[in-house]
Amino acid sequence: MELGVYTFAETTPDPTTGQTIDTAQRLRDLLEEIELADQVGLEVFGIGEHHRADFSASAPPMILAAAAERTRKIRLSTAVTVLSSDDPVRVYQQFATLDLISGGRAEIMAGRGSFIESFPLFGFDLEDYDELFVEKLELLLQIRANERVTWTGRHRAPLHDQPVYPRTRPDLPIWVAVGGNPPSAVRAGALNLPMALAIIGGMPERFLPFINLFRQSARQSGHDWENLPVGINTHGYVADTSQQAADEFYPSYAAQMSRLGVERGWPPMTRDRYDASLGLRQHLMIGSPEQVIEKILFQHERLGHQRYLMQMSVGTMPHAQTMRSIELFGTKVAPAVRKAVRSATAPL
């Protein structure tokens, strides 16, 4: 199993001090976090795209390109690229360039976006939310497969035998990010694209039907569905003890989830609700290394996924605490999880 970290690079007020980190400092901290993740042997680091004051990553490819020069092995991904409001030609060019700079470590995680700020910013209509993603994903895949592209759609100027450069490997990974939309899982399987499931609430097992739909769609489309990867993305945090992990993660998590709750109609995050989400069968991957190992393996047994990414900064988490969590995740959790998964799948 591949294990990694993802972030939205929040620039929200620190819930303890009330201070808001400077954007430049947050980006410098983020590069240190990616560098450490590489050093401790994690396989993937993802950066989510947002276009608002409380997030500093509006241009993930630029951050990932900077990280490419400070890392050696870790794969550099988005989490996600809001493809619906972007231009597939530019997305391909940016990630082909990143792939060349990094020696073949770039990945795209394409999604429709859980925030809507990019649509008016780039001149798109939310009424076209679904159609934009379908059309632009189709074009992105054509560009990946063909140096010269002829294409016509409704939301972009047509291309007539147009070359797109630079070129990189023809299997540049493109994952489809899926939240709560079953047709997205079906589409990913039909297109033979790996699927990343974002689980930010409830019991992860409730997403098993999405995985079944994904694999069924891949099988019906004639693809090698048994080897088509599934990734799981959740909130999480690792500390030396379970109590330390729960106490350190709660302030920023509660502040951010309560803030988003005002926008989306969720109830405020209380300590009781938070503590109820820490159990083995719940979505929050928070605890000591031993607890996190147990929980990842529990979910893997039920969902059979090939990748797990942890979002450690939900709201503004102190940089030193994030670095320690990455260190423990890479040095304690990841080796034990890989060993257990290898043992479980080894032939008798």
Side-chain angles (χ1 to χ4, degrees), residues 280-319:
L280 180 64
R281 299 174 68 93
Q282 299 298 319
H283 66 285
L284 287 180
M285 193 71 69
I286 296 170
S288 66
E290 294 75 19
Q291 286 178 306
V292 173
I293 292 165
E294 180 185 22
K295 197 161 187 176
I296 291 174
L297 293 175
F298 178 84
Q299 291 185 5
H300 178 263
E301 180 182 339
R302 282 149 181 79
L303 301 178
H305 50 295
Q306 290 74 35
R307 174 180 286 188
Y308 170 71
L309 302 185
M310 178 185 289
Q311 183 184 352
M312 296 179 178
S313 55
V314 182
T316 295
M317 172 69 68
H319 177 52

Side-chain angles (χ1 to χ4, degrees), residues 52-198:
R52 42 190 284 168
D54 45 348
F55 301 100
S56 60
S58 64
M62 295 197 66
I63 304 170
L64 295 170
E69 291 301 290
R70 300 176 60 158
T71 56
R72 295 178 57 249
K73 295 182 178 180
I74 197 164
R75 296 189 184 97
L76 303 167
S77 176
T78 45
V80 302
T81 293
V82 185
L83 187 60
S84 305
S85 58
D86 212 330
D87 181 357
V89 174
R90 289 301 284 159
V91 170
Y92 178 82
Q93 290 175 326
Q94 290 163 355
F95 282 88
T97 302
L98 173 62
D99 204 51
L100 296 168
I101 290 172
S102 65
R105 294 187 282 131
E107 296 189 357
I108 301 169
M109 188 185 296
R112 296 178 300 173
S114 60
F115 291 78
I116 62 173
E117 288 79 11
S118 64
F119 289 83
L121 181 63
F122 297 115
F124 293 100
D125 192 333
L126 279 170
E127 293 293 325
D128 301 321
Y129 185 79
D130 291 316
E131 185 178 320
L132 280 164
F133 182 73
V134 172
E135 182 176 290
K136 293 189 175 189
L137 181 59
E138 173 195 318
L139 176 54
L140 180 61
L141 293 174
Q142 284 200 33
I143 296 168
R144 182 179 69 166
N146 302 285
E147 183 174 335
R148 307 188 74 91
V149 180
T150 297
W151 176 89
T152 301
R154 209 168 70 84
H155 299 284
R156 190 200 185 281
L159 298 171
H160 302 290
D161 195 32
Q162 181 68 47
V164 180
Y165 301 112
R167 305 304 300 179
T168 189
R169 52 193 169 127
D171 58 347
L172 174 69
I174 299 175
W175 290 66
V176 174
V178 176
N181 186 25
S184 294
V186 172
R187 182 181 304 114
L191 292 172
N192 200 30
L193 297 175
M195 177 179 67
L197 275 170

Side-chain angles (χ1 to χ4, degrees), residues 213-251:
L213 281 173
F214 168 72
R215 291 175 173 153
Q216 179 183 6
S217 176
R219 182 175 63 250
Q220 291 174 343
S221 299
H223 304 309
D224 183 12
W225 63 275
E226 292 180 294
N227 292 310
L228 192 57
V230 172
I232 302 296
N233 302 348
T234 75
H235 299 151
Y237 182 74
V238 192
D240 292 283
T241 69
S242 58
Q243 191 64 53
Q244 180 186 356
D247 291 344
E248 288 182 353
F249 194 71
Y250 174 72

